[in-house]
Amino acid sequence: MQTNIPLAERLRPKNLDEYVGQEHLVGKDGLFRKFISTNSVPSFILWGPPGVGKTTLAKIIASSLERPFYTLSAISSGVKDVRDVIERARQDRFFDTPSPFLFIDEIHRFTKSQQDSLLGAVEQGVVTLIGATTENPSFEVIRPLLSRCQVYVLKPLTVENLNTLLERAVSSDVYLKERKFVIEETNALFRFSGGDARKLLNIIDILSGSAKDEIIINDKTVIDTLKQNIALYDKSGEQHYDVISAFIKSVRGSDPNAALYYLARMIAGGEDPKFIARRLVILAAEDIGLANPNALLLANACFNTVNNIGMPEGRIPLSETTVYLATSPKSNSAYLAIDKALAFVNSDTASREVPLNLRNAPTSLMKELGYGNQYKYSHDYEGHFADQEFMPEGMSGMCFYEPQNNGKEREIKKYIESCWKDKYKNDE
């Protein structure tokens, strides 16, 4: 064994008994033990944060069943690589033998065409697909492929799990067991690990490499050592939520410089640029809204651009959109309006029928019943407006949307008042 092999790799579990965490899947009555005992495994996707054992679990299943195990990385593989692996699996498979496994790490990074190229092989049983993703498969995996796979959720490791890994590292690793460890406290160690086994073991590696004699683990030594060795942004732990929160609040608070600082923290820390772009789309709708409707158009263009070109070039549209949103006038009126309408609908116990004049009348019977009668086609009237009731009976004049005090919404308010006079005047 070479000393440059990372601790996380040296301690990688070889079977389910060595595997730490995910008791709901690998425990005594866990589903994955049944897979191994029955030699019957469906295609599945493992969804969970980094460092919780997705790749390890896939390898254990394959090795326990002694099946071929092909791997692809969504970062470096194209459609041709997918087809080549599938063809190799097809040629290597004998009659009536279980299908080999095809493991795709970060499957959420596969394009639609790459995912499409998997469908036939999965459906025909040429391969049993195992995907690993840190993103919600419902949004990142195409529906036809998702329908052919089971999705299993992996959870961040608990403090108990992390403590088990720590004890295993210092007592059983071929190198560390020869060193003297003094474990005084583990709060900082486990906090910086953030439920990530790989991160925990990497930190232990750093601590052991920084100490000449005995290795003291307490909050001070962990914090002091990590300040010198790792970035302060952690895209999967507590810092992830703190920094994205600060980013959102800086944009909402109209501070482009602070927003750019936190954007840089995320980019430098390796955050998924699509995650940032999605937040910008939400910000544009929730916080800029009708004060500047173009903000949502730019945010959507940013998301599409980042998705198409990737990084590092993607940092430029991310920066442009961040500055644009931060310096735009703000309004949350649309956000408040839909929540107000939803609250009313969810609490309303009345059975409110759509007015007859607004109903469609595709059949003669519906016409005879008065569907669509007396409906005024707005474009037939001056100013493309006809004064008529659109609300159900008993709701006339009820107001959900309240224009706020910015240039665009002052225009909207003026238009509403010119059409409806005092009908939608909010007296609250």
Side-chain angles (χ1 to χ4, degrees), residues 393-411:
E393 186 176 351
M395 289 184 60
S396 183
M398 185 170 290
C399 183
F400 297 110
Y401 168 59
E402 301 175 39
Q404 295 180 356
N405 188 25
N406 57 73
K408 183 64 181 176
E409 288 192 279
R410 282 194 291 270
E411 294 178 17

Side-chain angles (χ1 to χ4, degrees), residues 293-343:
N294 287 330
L296 186 56
L297 299 177
L298 182 64
N300 269 301
C302 173
F303 180 85
N304 292 330
T305 302
V306 168
N307 193 41
N308 289 332
I309 69 174
M311 297 295 277
E313 292 82 359
R315 75 192 190 284
I316 303 169
L318 285 172
S319 174
E320 177 184 353
T321 306
T322 295
V323 172
Y324 186 86
L325 298 189
T327 55
S328 286
K330 305 297 189 293
S331 173
N332 65 346
S333 61
Y335 164 68
L336 295 175
I338 186 59
D339 279 2
K340 188 174 181 181
L342 283 169

Side-chain angles (χ1 to χ4, degrees), residues 6-247:
L7 177 62
E9 189 60 36
R10 300 200 302 266
L11 290 183
R12 186 182 292 275
K14 303 295 191 298
N15 54 59
L16 291 184
D17 291 333
E18 296 179 358
Y19 190 90
V20 176
Q22 317 311 326
E23 287 295 314
H24 61 296
L25 296 176
V26 306
K28 182 180 179 182
D29 298 316
L31 196 58
F32 281 71
R33 290 189 183 272
K34 294 177 182 177
F35 286 164
I36 293 174
S37 64
T38 60
N39 196 13
S40 177
V41 186
S43 290
F44 62 87
I45 294 174
L46 299 171
W47 171 29
V52 295
K54 296 186 291 293
T55 302
T56 297
L57 194 52
K59 288 182 176 180
I60 288 173
I61 293 292
S63 63
S64 298
L65 297 177
E66 298 182 338
R67 292 198 209 173
F69 186 74
Y70 302 97
T71 63
L72 288 173
S73 171
I75 296 176
S76 57
S77 304
V79 172
K80 183 179 183 300
D81 299 299
V82 175
R83 290 174 177 162
D84 288 346
V85 167
I86 290 173
E87 185 55 34
R88 194 156 70 246
R90 195 189 306 272
Q91 293 175 0
D92 291 347
R93 187 182 177 193
F94 296 102
F95 292 109
D96 297 326
T97 59
S99 57
F101 291 106
L102 172 57
F103 176 71
I104 300 180
D105 195 17
E106 299 192 84
I107 194 170
H108 61 276
R109 293 181 182 266
F110 259 13
T111 64
K112 181 180 183 300
S113 61
Q114 288 171 310
Q115 294 186 35
D116 281 337
S117 65
L118 295 165
L119 287 175
V122 173
E123 191 168 46
Q124 297 162 20
V126 175
V127 295
T128 297
L129 175 66
I130 304 178
T133 178
T134 56
E135 301 291 327
N136 189 332
S138 299
F139 301 124
E140 305 295 343
V141 178
I142 60 172
R143 189 176 300 276
L145 186 58
L146 194 60
S147 68
R148 291 164 172 79
C149 299
Q150 299 294 317
V151 176
Y152 300 111
V153 180
L154 276 67
K155 305 173 184 177
L157 299 187
T158 64
V159 169
E160 183 181 353
N161 297 150
L162 295 174
N163 197 58
T164 298
L165 287 172
L166 172 61
E167 292 176 356
R168 180 179 297 176
V170 302
S171 63
S172 64
D173 178 67
V174 66
Y175 297 108
L176 295 188
K177 68 181 182 180
E178 302 298 326
R179 305 285 301 274
K180 181 181 179 181
F181 278 82
V182 178
I183 302 175
E184 297 176 349
E185 53 188 352
T186 57
N187 291 334
L189 176 64
F190 292 165
R191 185 174 73 251
F192 279 105
S193 299
D196 182 327
R198 187 186 305 111
K199 189 166 294 179
L200 171 74
L201 297 176
N202 287 344
I203 293 172
I204 296 172
D205 239 350
I206 293 171
L207 291 170
S208 63
S210 302
K212 293 181 180 179
D213 301 313
E214 64 180 13
I215 303 163
I216 300 174
I217 295 181
N218 57 37
D219 291 353
K220 185 178 187 305
T221 58
V222 170
I223 293 171
D224 290 346
T225 303
L226 293 187
K227 280 182 179 178
Q228 301 171 21
N229 288 279
I230 65 173
L232 290 177
Y233 179 77
D234 168 11
K235 67 177 181 179
S236 63
E238 184 178 336
Q239 285 284 333
H240 164 82
Y241 301 102
D242 291 343
V243 175
I244 191 61
S245 175
F247 174 71

